[in-house]
Each structure stands twice: as C-alpha cells, then as structure tokens.
C-alpha cells in the first residue's frame, strides 16, 4: 500500500479513490495523506459520504419520487452543488470548509464544526461509487436482489439512480488519477461492513437485518463498477475474501 500511496502522489492534484463498502478506502486515503506529509506536501481527504443530503431532503425525494430515496448513499441522494463548490474551492487553493456527515444521526454535522482546508497540494476524494457511469437501460430491467424485486417492482428507483449517475460526471471531471479497490463479492462487503458497524457505539449501530437492507441499496452499482469502472482505473487493487491484496 505504501508503494501505491507514493505512486499516487506523483504530480497529482486530485486523486479519486473508489471501491465497495468496507474495502478500505478510508484507510488507504489516510495512508496517502500521510505519505504526502512525509513528502512535504499538504493533503486533505474528502468523502462522498459527507455530501449526503439531510434527512428532510431525502424524505422529500421519498415522497415525490420513490420511497427508497430516503436511504442515503446512492447517486441522487447527495448535494452535488455543495460537492462541486468544495472540490473547486480546494483545488483553486481557496480556504474551504469540508463537510462532515454524522452517520449516527443520519444528518450533516454542524457547519461550524467542519474543518477548513487551505493551500492544499493534494485532494484525496474517496467514495464507494466514484467514477460511476449510467448502466445501459436493458440492465435495469431485472432486479439484482430482494430489495429491488420487492420494493422497486416497476424499476422507478433504479431508473432515477441511474439517471443521476450522469449528473455525477461533473464531479469525476475534477479527478486526474483514479484508484479502484475491488471487493471479491457482496458477501465480503456484508462481512466487512458488519465489522465496521461493531466498532461503533451500541446506540449508533444498525442491526444485522438493517445493515443488510442498507447494503442492498448499493449492490447494483457495486457490481456494475467491477465490470465497467475497474478497467478504466489508473490503479486497480484486488482484494481476496480475507481482505488481503492479491494484485492489480
């Protein structure tokens, strides 16, 4: 991983780090930031998760478009205007507040507590679906899991999320070097996310059933990224079922 961090820092301004839930994006992003500091360069990490819409905004989408949009994370549930403003501010060298989303409360953290980035050399932008492109319409017809089969019978939710993927291309244009961490399968994602959940305070944890339902919202695009985005990444890191790096 240290070699990956060193390579990623070579004359790069914005590094995009993509990969399934629990893959280790936050760990690698922190490693790259530390490598930058050792090289005398300032770096900040910005997560797509921190741009999730507030609960009220998602509930409005749930009422007017589809109930599954109440759940944060998939394309269409982020504040793209804020994300673009933050990335552009950091990359332009302006003093910029970096949003923080409180996952325990399922709400953005107080603005006054957002850290400020100034004179940054490297921006590390990480998120589970970074670089995603819309799927061909034919791929939307069949559900990929029970959630889609039972709660998105007419396909309205997945069509909305798919259309939103095109809007996110404006964010991806800010990235000039891509790293993709490839998970072995969705069973690994469920295990790794469950381990992450156990590290939280009891009152902030999801039950196993809640967690599996949450992950189901991400499954379609996690699978799509493996076939569509992985070959386009500048650096592809493959993990085995035990979370070990097995090669590019």
């Amino acid at each position: 991983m240290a070699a990956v961090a060193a390579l990623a820092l070579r004359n790069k301004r914005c590094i995009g780090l993509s990969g399934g839930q629990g893959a280790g994006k936050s760990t690698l992003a922190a490693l790259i930031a530390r490598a930058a500091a050792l090289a005398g360069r300032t770096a900040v990490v910005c997560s797509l998760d921190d741009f999730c819409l507030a609960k009220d905004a998602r509930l409005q989408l749930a009422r007017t478009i589809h109930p599954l949009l109440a759940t944060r994370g998939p394309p269409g549930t982020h504040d793209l205007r804020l994300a673009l403003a933050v990335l552009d501010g950091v990359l332009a060298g302006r003093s910029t507040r970096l949003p923080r989303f409180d996952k325990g409360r399922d709400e953005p953290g107080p603005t006054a507590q957002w850290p400020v980035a100034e004179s940054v050399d490297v921006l590390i932008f990480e998120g589970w679906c970074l670089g995603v492109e819309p799927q061909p319409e034919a791929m939307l017809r069949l559900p990929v899991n029970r959630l889609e089969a039972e709660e998105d019978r007419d396909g309205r939710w997945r069509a909305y999320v798919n259309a939103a993927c095109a809007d996110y291309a404006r964010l991806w244009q800010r990235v000039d070097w891509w790293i993709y961490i490839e998970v072995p399968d969705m069973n690994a994602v469920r295990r790794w996310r469950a381990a992450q959940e156990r590290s939280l305070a009891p009152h902030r944890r999801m039950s196993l059933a809640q967690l599996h339902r949450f992950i189901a919202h991400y499954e379609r695009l996690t699978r799509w990224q493996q076939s569509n985005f992985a070959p386009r990444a500048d650096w592809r890191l493959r993990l085995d079922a035990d979370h070990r790096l097995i090669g590019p």
Side-chain angles (χ1 to χ4, degrees):
M1 286 296 187
V4 172
L7 179 62
L9 287 169
R10 291 180 185 172
N11 301 315
K12 304 304 176 186
R13 187 80 173 100
C14 183
I15 298 168
L17 178 51
S18 185
Q21 289 180 300
K25 298 182 297 297
S26 297
T27 300
L28 181 55
L31 177 60
I32 294 172
R34 288 198 296 272
L38 290 173
R41 304 175 71 190
T42 58
V44 295
V45 178
C46 195
S47 174
L48 182 64
D49 287 346
D50 286 321
F51 297 107
C52 285
L53 292 168
K55 188 181 298 183
D56 283 348
R58 286 181 278 118
L59 290 176
Q60 177 65 15
L61 291 175
R63 287 189 294 268
T64 59
I65 299 173
H66 195 284
L68 288 178
L69 290 168
T71 297
R72 70 174 187 270
T77 66
H78 300 94
D79 187 337
L80 282 187
R81 181 178 298 180
L82 176 61
L84 287 165
V86 168
L87 265 62
D88 287 345
V90 172
L91 293 173
R94 297 191 295 270
S95 177
T96 306
R97 284 194 176 274
L98 304 178
R100 291 293 182 262
F101 192 89
D102 186 336
K103 294 179 180 179
R105 294 176 51 246
D106 199 19
E107 294 280 10
T111 306
Q113 296 179 14
W114 294 359
V116 177
E118 298 186 70
S119 302
V120 173
D121 296 317
V122 181
L123 171 62
I124 305 158
F125 185 31
E126 63 95 356
W128 75 279
C129 65
L130 261 64
V132 72
E133 294 180 339
Q135 289 185 293
E137 187 175 344
M139 294 185 70
L140 303 177
R141 294 172 188 161
L142 295 178
V144 299
N145 55 31
R146 183 176 176 180
L147 177 83
E148 291 189 0
E150 296 182 355
E151 300 186 45
D152 187 37
R153 293 176 185 271
D154 60 5
R156 281 187 300 115
W157 173 70
R158 50 190 183 266
Y160 181 86
V161 170
N162 199 58
C165 289
D167 294 333
Y168 283 55
R170 291 178 291 164
L171 284 177
W172 315 153
Q173 290 167 3
R174 272 65 177 174
V175 175
D176 59 24
W177 205 78
W178 289 101
I179 301 173
Y180 178 68
I181 307 178
E182 183 175 327
V183 299
D185 52 43
M186 290 306 298
N187 286 331
V189 170
R190 284 185 278 269
R191 289 199 315 275
W192 298 344
R193 273 295 283 112
Q196 290 178 340
E197 205 69 16
R198 289 192 295 271
S199 71
L200 301 175
H203 69 281
R204 297 171 66 92
R205 296 175 192 164
M206 287 185 269
S207 69
L208 192 59
Q210 289 172 324
L211 182 62
H212 285 182
R213 185 179 185 279
F214 179 69
I215 292 170
H217 291 75
Y218 294 70
E219 182 170 355
R220 171 177 291 276
L221 292 184
T222 298
R223 294 177 181 274
W224 172 236
Q225 285 287 81
Q226 289 185 332
S227 61
N228 178 258
F229 179 74
R232 295 186 283 116
D234 296 289
W235 198 265
R236 179 181 183 179
L237 305 175
R238 294 169 53 235
L239 303 177
D240 67 11
D242 294 318
H243 223 154
R244 295 175 300 197
L245 184 64
I246 58 174

